[in-house]
Every structure is written in C-alpha cells, then in structure tokens.
Amino acid sequence: MPEARVERLAERLAAVPGLALTAGAPLSRLTTLRIGGPAELLAEISSEPALVRLLGEAHAAGVPFHLLGLGSNVLVPDAGLEGVIGRLTGALKRVRIRGRRVSAGAGAALGQVARRAAKAGLAGLEALAGFPSTVGGAVHMNAGSYGAEIQDVLVSARVVELDGTRRRLPTAALEPAYRSTILKRTGAIVTRALFELSPGDARALNARIDELNAKRWASLPSGVPNAGSIFKNPPGDHAGRLLEACGMKGASEGGARVSDKHANVIVNAGGATAADVLALMLRMRDAVAARFDVVLEPEIVLLGGLGRAQFARPTAPAAPGPPA
Ligand SMILES: Cc1cc2nc3c(=O)[nH]c(=O)nc-3n(C[C@H](O)[C@H](O)[C@H](O)COP(=O)(O)OP(=O)(O)OC[C@H]3O[C@@H](n4cnc5c(N)ncnc54)[C@H](O)[C@@H]3O)c2cc1C
C-alpha cells in the first residue's frame, strides 16, 4: 500500500498520457539478478513530456524517483524501493538513423541499436552489443567493453533533470569516467542519445558482434541470474584476478554465490536475497583488502541506501582539532 503522498501523486498523474502506473509491482522481475522487493509505484513512461510531468510533480511532492533500465547493474533491497520507479518505453525506445548519426531513445536495448547500426553499415557500437543494457543505462554508467566505452561514439545526450528541466548535454558535459558520469551525482534521466558512427561493412560488423559475444559468454555464467561485474577494476589490475587469487570462486552467502567461471560475478543460485549479495560482497572486498591492500569499489549500483555505511567512499582523514 503506497504512502499517502505517493497515493496522492498517483491520483494526480493517473490521467497523464504516456504514463502507466502500478502500485506494488515486484522489482525482482525487472532485475537480471532476480532480486528485489516491490516498487511503491512503478511508472511505465512512454514520452518525454510524460517524464517531465512525472519528475516535476514527484519533485514538488518530495517523492523519490529512480529509473531502471534493464536492471542489469543494480541491487534492489529485499524490502523494495520507496517512491516512484520509472521505466522507459514507447517513443523513448525509438531509434532513427540519418547518415552516420544514430539517435536512440534511452529505453532502447543497446544491443539492438548496435545490430541496427551494423546492418546500416555503421561501425562503433560492436563492442557494446553483448551485455544487457538500455541506451540510457549505458550512458549513465559510461558502460564499456573490450577497450571501448560508450563515450567514444556519443555526441550528446538529452536529459531531464529531477526537477523536470530539459537539457542537451554534449558528451564532455557528462564528465565521463570509468563506469561513471555526472549523472550519478545529479540523478538526471537520459531520454535520448545521439551517436556518430563510422562507415563500415555490414557483414563484417555483424560478424564482429558475434565474435565478441562468443568471447564474452565463454568467460561469464550464462542462464543463471547475475549482474555482470560486481566490483570495478582497480587501477592497473582486474578485480576478477584479485578475487580469484583470494579463492573466492564458489564462495557463498545464502543463495548468492561467486561464479565458478568468473570471480567478480555473483550469481543468484536460487532464492538469493539482497542481504545475501551484500554479505558476500563484503567478504569479497575484505578478502582482497587483507591480501592485497586494495579496496575494491562496487560497480553494481546499490539502490535504496543498501550498503551505504559499508561501502562509503574512504574520506580524507579529519584535520586535527584545536588543542584541548
Ligand atoms: C552478463 C552481464 C554482463 C555485463 N557486462 C558488462 C560490460 O562488459 N561492460 C559494462 O559496462 N557493463 C556490463 N554489465 C553491467 C550492465 O549491463 C551495464 O552497466 C548496463 O549499461 C546497465 O544498463 P541498464 O539499462 O540495465 O541499467 P540498470 O542496471 O537498470 O541501471 C543502472 C544505473 O543506470 C541508471 N539508469 C538507467 N537508465 C537510465 C536513464 N535512461 N537515465 C539515467 N540513468 C539511468 C539507473 O538509475 C542505475 O543507477 C554486464 C551485466 C551483465 C548482467
């Protein structure tokens, strides 16, 4: 049952075109780990004006908003998420190709965009085609693979700020870094991304996507729920290598288990909870810290305050106080 202010928000938004609202939808179905309690209010959003209205009203009412893409890089609390959980659909999934430019709705699946671009003889997205992601999720995370990052081909992103303001941000304004952009701090929602690609041979590009996908799945668990890499790679090293050296493959907490194929991947081996995943992450991080003196940082996005205390970024030591 939604809280009163969320219920009032739902009533105000009920007739807005482009919004479909559901209270209490289970989020475990919307994450690749298959973990997570209910969304207080799930909003399927099929146009930018509908998103602007929703964000403006939620902001004014003090109701939190989270956007989910394919849920492939998130851990959702077992108790679910408060406020509005949005998903982009309809016009926000549309893709247009003009010359070498591809304009993709943020809700579109990045793999499908890459395949369409390849078919049109446009190169640049092949290395980003093989993992589950929406366009918006990949822009938010500055997703990358096999030496390529989405920032390499991104010209600009259209975003809506949490108060409903629309902006067009050139790539540099997103401050892209390793698995991070400024959007992690502002919370702005990407509605559309513009890519500039290079001419290529359609058959060769499709073959390259197939080749990279085969390579990826040889080193990742398939057919079992997971969220890809759990930790970021520390500078100059691989989290998977460090975790494997610590003997973490096969380690488990409840239903969460470190994959036998990849020591930086946690799988839901059956009935795993967010608490299980978090407990296992702490063991993994502590094992690497104890053996290598390296503190791994989560790559997975911990939603709803999960792990806030345990995974707080290390802060500079406090300046000494005045003498007593
Ligand atoms: C098997 C597997 C392999 C993977 N391999 C890779 C890999 O090689 N490289 C890599 O980078 N990642 C990889 N990942 C992680 C994941 O696929 C990427 O981070 C992906 O880009 C997340 O996209 P998503 O749409 O699922 O976002 P979600 O997981 O739903 O969300 C991730 C974050 O992005 C935000 N977000 C989503 N959409 C938007 C939007 N429109 N506007 C603003 N914020 C948004 C969410 O609020 C959340 O904070 C892998 C995951 C799996 C399961």
Side-chain angles (χ1 to χ4, degrees):
M1 188 70 186
E3 200 197 318
R5 65 187 173 150
V6 177
E7 222 172 319
R8 283 197 298 276
L9 178 70
E11 280 164 19
R12 278 200 302 283
L13 294 170
V16 173
L19 288 183
L21 306 174
T22 315
L27 290 170
S28 54
R29 295 194 196 141
L30 304 179
T31 66
T32 59
L33 264 171
R34 298 283 177 264
I35 290 175
E40 194 169 10
L41 190 67
L42 181 72
E44 298 279 343
I45 308 156
S46 56
S47 76
E48 196 178 280
L51 175 67
V52 169
R53 175 82 190 274
L54 167 60
L55 287 176
E57 294 260 3
H59 183 75
V63 172
F65 178 86
H66 293 287
L67 196 89
L68 269 191
L70 291 185
S72 64
N73 208 18
V74 291
L75 185 62
V76 173
D78 301 313
L81 286 173
E82 287 177 8
V84 181
I85 303 1
R87 301 228 315 157
L88 305 181
T89 183
L92 296 172
K93 283 176 137 178
R94 273 186 211 132
V95 179
R96 294 188 291 267
I97 301 184
R98 279 207 195 101
R100 289 161 56 172
R101 293 206 154 189
V102 176
S103 165
L110 185 59
Q112 286 175 17
V113 178
R115 287 282 185 190
R116 272 191 63 182
K119 199 170 161 202
L122 291 174
L125 290 172
E126 306 77 71
L128 304 169
F131 51 90
S133 182
T134 58
V135 166
V139 171
H140 175 101
M141 299 293 301
N142 187 26
S145 190
Y146 298 116
E149 284 184 331
I150 200 155
Q151 64 160 322
D152 303 340
V153 284
L154 185 70
V155 175
S156 62
R158 271 173 74 93
V159 304
V160 183
E161 303 286 348
L162 284 181
D163 64 359
T165 313
R166 300 184 218 207
R167 288 185 213 290
R168 183 186 150 277
L169 297 178
T171 306
L174 290 165
E175 296 179 19
Y178 172 51
R179 300 299 171 270
S180 174
T181 60
I182 197 175
L183 303 176
K184 291 206 160 211
R185 296 202 296 280
T186 66
I189 305 304
V190 181
T191 56
R192 189 155 278 282
L194 181 64
F195 302 107
E196 167 112 11
L197 304 179
S198 331
D201 173 69
R203 272 162 80 104
L205 293 172
N206 266 308
R208 179 74 180 144
I209 293 176
D210 292 341
E211 182 197 335
L212 290 177
N213 282 357
K215 192 170 158 190
R216 167 186 308 280
W217 293 110
S219 67
L220 278 178
S222 61
V224 49
N226 72 87
S229 296
I230 287 290
F231 292 103
K232 294 183 188 179
N233 288 325
D237 212 330
H238 289 274
R241 185 193 78 78
L242 301 175
L243 288 159
E244 186 165 352
C246 292
M248 291 310 295
K249 275 187 172 174
S252 65
E253 288 284 340
R257 184 181 152 89
V258 178
S259 164
D260 295 319
K261 259 182 152 180
H262 199 309
N264 193 22
V265 174
I266 291 178
V267 300
N268 179 351
T273 62
D276 294 338
V277 173
L278 206 56
L280 190 52
M281 285 176 69
L282 288 169
R283 266 178 65 193
M284 294 160 84
R285 182 200 60 181
D286 292 348
V288 169
R291 171 131 183 224
F292 295 105
D293 198 21
V294 169
V295 180
L296 295 179
E297 273 185 42
E299 174 171 328
I300 189 171
V301 179
L302 303 170
L303 293 174
L306 274 177
R308 190 174 283 152
Q310 300 93 323
F311 286 106
R313 279 170 163 267
T315 48

